[in-house]
Each structure stands twice: as structure tokens, then as C-alpha cells.
């Protein structure tokens, strides 16, 4: 079930292809977000457009030509951009919170956790995080560089279940639709391979920096982190709400069941365990045998308190350390489902995040 959504809005969507931010379009996006917010969804907006807003503000009619000039435009434009988002969300009585990230915020374990905590706190308070890259100060070495990939990193940070990449294109095509009349929209992608990369090419548009290539990379990262990804046109009527409702628009990349090594690196690397789960011998043998995930049935005790997504220690009954992993249920939930068969999770908790407490891809044994 989709609950947490990262919505990436490209510069071309925000400007409608012009050199100015299109407030009506932004309002339309916010209106849909507000309706979803009202229904209980958690939204994270990853917005581009700082540079576009800066050039509009400074009435610059040419493309910025140096890094310093781009950073100047971003500095001017980011506050303007934020002001507009804030005004629009305020019309629906929704607060927004700005987070400006760089690659270092997700690669460094401590900073990753800090950013994750801020994001969780905003969401917990029903505040919509509005995220962009910290363009005014980031240099090439620490930049993500495009907001497609930045939004995928937001999926990792927030453990979101849906990433929507709103673009000026209705999705991914079998060829470039601007030059090939036979180009067809690809409704669903299950494999991202070299052929698909070739189809995506290096397309770029106007003031934004992304294209289909960066969208594919972002989609790949996000689906490996367990999120479904949809690329769709930002101007399609009710696009966001229809995507969330599961309607088939744009190009959809179903989430992979197996989150990646990357995730392991980010999430397990050096974190302090928040608590522990003690498991029985059968479960320990299943984990040690390789290939097994930790199911509620094998858990005999919960020590300490932790949130869903935290790293916890896995121990034997006598507290011998066996390893660590990322839990999919918080400590209160694990306390209630421990010892149960997985098919009883939903009836016990009223919801389920899947049959496993710690997925085998999210655990390391020692
Ligand atoms: N962060 C850039 C901006 O706000 C946009 C990057 C992108 O278009 O992907 O202007």
C-alpha cells in the first residue's frame, strides 16, 4: 500500500517550457498534493527550478555561463521558489519545510541519519518537506547534479514506496517521440538494460539538467530501494492523484522485491543499533544457512525500542550477538507479532509491511 510518496517536479514542468515559473501549474500540483495529504498520504516534494526562478528574478535572458553565475542564480532563486511553494501550500493550510541536500548528506552515515531524522520529524508533524539540491554551495565533487537522482536519494532517506517523476514527457518511449513518429510509450519497465539506456539517450531540455537518462538511473535506484517509480507528464490532468490511485499512466517501474547492496551499505554501515531482537535457534539456523529472512515466527523477545527502518541487533536468547539488520516494523509492532506466522501480521496490527521483520538483503550476520 502506498503511503509515502516522493514527487519530483522538473524545471520544465514548473515553467511549462518557458523561462518563468508557471504559478498556475504549481498551484495545480499543490492542489493535488493537498488532496492526497488530506487522505493521509505523506508527501515529499523534490523541486527543481531554483536556477529558473533566479534568472526570472534577475531578468536574465541568457543561460548562465559559469558555475559561480549558476550558484548566484540558485541562491536568489531558491528563496523565491520556496516562497512560492510556501504560499501555495498555505492556501491549503499545509506547512512546508525546506531541506537543501548534497550528495554528502546521503553518503556519510551520520549525516544520512541526521537528514533522515529531520525528514521523519517533518512527516510526523504532517509538514511537507520541500527538497532541492543545495545548488548555491555545492561543487562538482559533492553534487548529486540532477534532481532525478536527488529524488531517488530522497526515496532512500524516507523509505518511500512511490516515486513520481513529473516531466515534460508523458513517459519513456521506444524511440525519441520528437523525431520518430513510430515512437511508442513504454507502459511498464521490468528490466533496465543497455537497450533501454540507448532508447533513453541523453535528452535534455532547457534550464533543467536531467533527461531520460538521469530518470532511468533514478528509477533504477528507487526501485531497488523498494519503491515503485512512475515517469509521467506534469501537465496530464490529475496526473499525481491518478498515479497514486494506481491508474496506468506514463511509464511505471515496479519496485524490486530485493532491495540492493547499496541500501545495505547506506543503512547498515556503522550505524548504532537502536535495539535488539532475540531469535530462536530455528531462525538462527535459517539465517545462517543463507537466503533466509527473519520472520516474526522466529523472534522470541524485543529489547529496547526502535522505529521501522532502524538498524537493530539480532541476538540469541542469551543475548549473544548474531548480527544486525534493518527492521521493517517498530519495536511495539514486533512485540505484538513475535512468534506469529507472517500471515497473521495484518489481522494482528491492522496493517502489514510485508511478511518479514528483517529482509535477508538488509541483514548482516557476524
Ligand atoms: N537543482 C536544480 C534547480 O533547482 C535543478 C536540477 C535539475 O533540473 O535536475 O534549478
Amino acid at each position: 500500500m502506498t503511503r509515502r510518496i516522493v514527487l519530483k517536479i522538473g524545471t520544465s514542468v514548473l515553467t511549462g517550457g518557458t523561462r518563468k515559473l508557471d504559478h498556475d501549474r504549481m498551484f495545480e500540483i499543490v492542489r493535488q498534493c493537498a488532496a492526497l495529504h488530506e487522505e493521509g498520504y505523506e508527501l515529499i516534494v523534490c523541486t527543481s527550478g531554483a536556477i529558473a526562478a533566479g534568472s526570472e528574478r534577475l531578468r536574465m535572458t541568457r543561460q548562465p555561463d559559469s558555475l559561480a553565475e549558476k550558484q548566484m542564480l540558485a541562491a536568489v532563486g531558491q528563496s523565491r521558489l520556496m516562497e512560492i511553494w510556501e504560499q501555495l501550500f498555505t492556501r491549503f493550510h499545509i506547512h512546508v519545510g525546506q531541506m537543501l541536500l548534497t550528495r554528502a548528506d546521503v553518503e556519510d552515515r551520520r549525516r544520512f541519519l541526521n537528514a533522515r531524522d529531520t525528514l521523519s520529524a517533518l512527516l510526523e508533524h504532517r509538514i511537507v518537506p520541500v527538497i532541492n539540491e543545495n545548488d548555491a554551495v555545492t561543487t562538482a565533487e559533492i553534487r548529486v547534479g540532477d534532481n532525478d537522482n536527488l529524488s531517488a536519494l530522497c526515496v532512500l532517506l524516507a523509505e518511500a514506496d512511490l516515486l513520481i517523476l513529473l516531466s515534460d514527457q508523458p513517459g519513456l518511449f521506444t524511440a525519441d517521440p520528437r523525431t520518430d513518429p513510430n515512437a511508442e510509450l513504454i507502459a511498464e519497465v521490468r528490466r533496465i538494460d543497455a537497450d533501454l539506456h540507448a532508447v533513453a539517450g541523453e535528452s535534455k531540455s532547457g534550464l533543467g539538467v536531467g533527461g531520460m537518462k538521469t530518470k532511468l538511473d533514478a528509477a533504477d535506484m528507487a526501485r531497488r530501494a523498494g519503491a515503485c517509480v512512475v515517469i509521467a507528464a506534469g501537465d496530464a490532468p490529475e496526473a499525481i492523484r491518478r498515479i497514486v490511485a494506481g491508474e496506468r499512466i506514463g511509464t511505471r517501474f515496479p519496485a524490486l522485491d530485493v532491495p540492493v547492496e547499496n541500501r545495505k551499505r547506506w543503512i547498515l554501515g556503522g550505524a548504532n543499533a537502536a535495539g535488539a531482537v532475540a531469535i530462536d535457534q530455528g531462525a538462527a539456523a535459517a539465517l545462517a544457512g543463507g537466503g533466509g529472512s527473519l520472520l516474526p515466527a522466529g523472534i522470541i523477545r524485543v529489547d529496547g525500542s526502535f522505529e521501522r527502518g532502524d538498524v537493530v541487533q539480532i541476538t540469541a536468547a542469551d543475548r549473544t550477538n548474531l548480527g544486525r539488520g534493518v527492521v521493517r516494523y517498530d519495536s511495539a509492532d514486533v512485540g505484538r507479532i513475535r512468534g506469529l506466522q507472517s500471515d497473521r501480521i495484518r489481522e494482528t496490527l491492522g496493517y502489514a509491511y510485508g511478511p518479514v521483520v528483517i529482509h535477508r538483503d538488509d541483514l548482516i550476520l557476524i
Side-chain angles (χ1 to χ4, degrees), residues 11 48-51 132 135 146-147 208-210:
T11 300
S48 300
I51 293 178
N132 196 359
D135 292 318
D146 66 87
N147 280 15
V209 294

Side-chain angles (χ1 to χ4, degrees), residues 8-12 14 47-54 70 73-74 77-78 81 131-135 143 145-150 205 207-211 214-215:
K8 185 263 172 175
I9 310 159
T11 300
S12 58
L14 294 173
T47 182
S48 300
I51 293 178
K70 275 193 199 152
L73 292 178
Q78 179 61 34
L81 184 63
I131 299 178
N132 196 359
E133 180 139 42
N134 198 351
D135 292 318
R143 295 190 77 191
D146 66 87
N147 280 15
D148 295 321
N149 280 293
L150 183 69
S205 55
L207 286 166
V209 294
T214 52
K215 285 184 181 54

Side-chain angles (χ1 to χ4, degrees), residues 189-244:
V189 174
R190 291 200 170 262
R191 238 179 71 130
I192 298 181
D193 53 17
D195 290 350
L196 199 64
H197 274 289
V199 163
E202 299 280 344
S203 69
K204 271 183 74 164
S205 55
L207 286 166
V209 294
M212 278 303 160
K213 183 187 176 319
T214 52
K215 285 184 181 54
L216 267 193
D217 292 342
D220 199 23
M221 192 194 312
R223 72 186 186 130
R224 284 168 189 275
C228 169
V229 183
V230 178
I231 302 176
D235 58 0
E238 298 288 336
I240 305 167
R241 297 189 68 190
R242 285 162 59 203
I243 291 166
V244 173

Side-chain angles (χ1 to χ4, degrees), residues 343-357:
D343 57 10
R344 296 195 47 208
I345 295 177
R346 187 174 294 278
E347 67 183 68
T348 308
L349 301 178
Y351 51 85
Y353 297 120
V356 310
V357 172

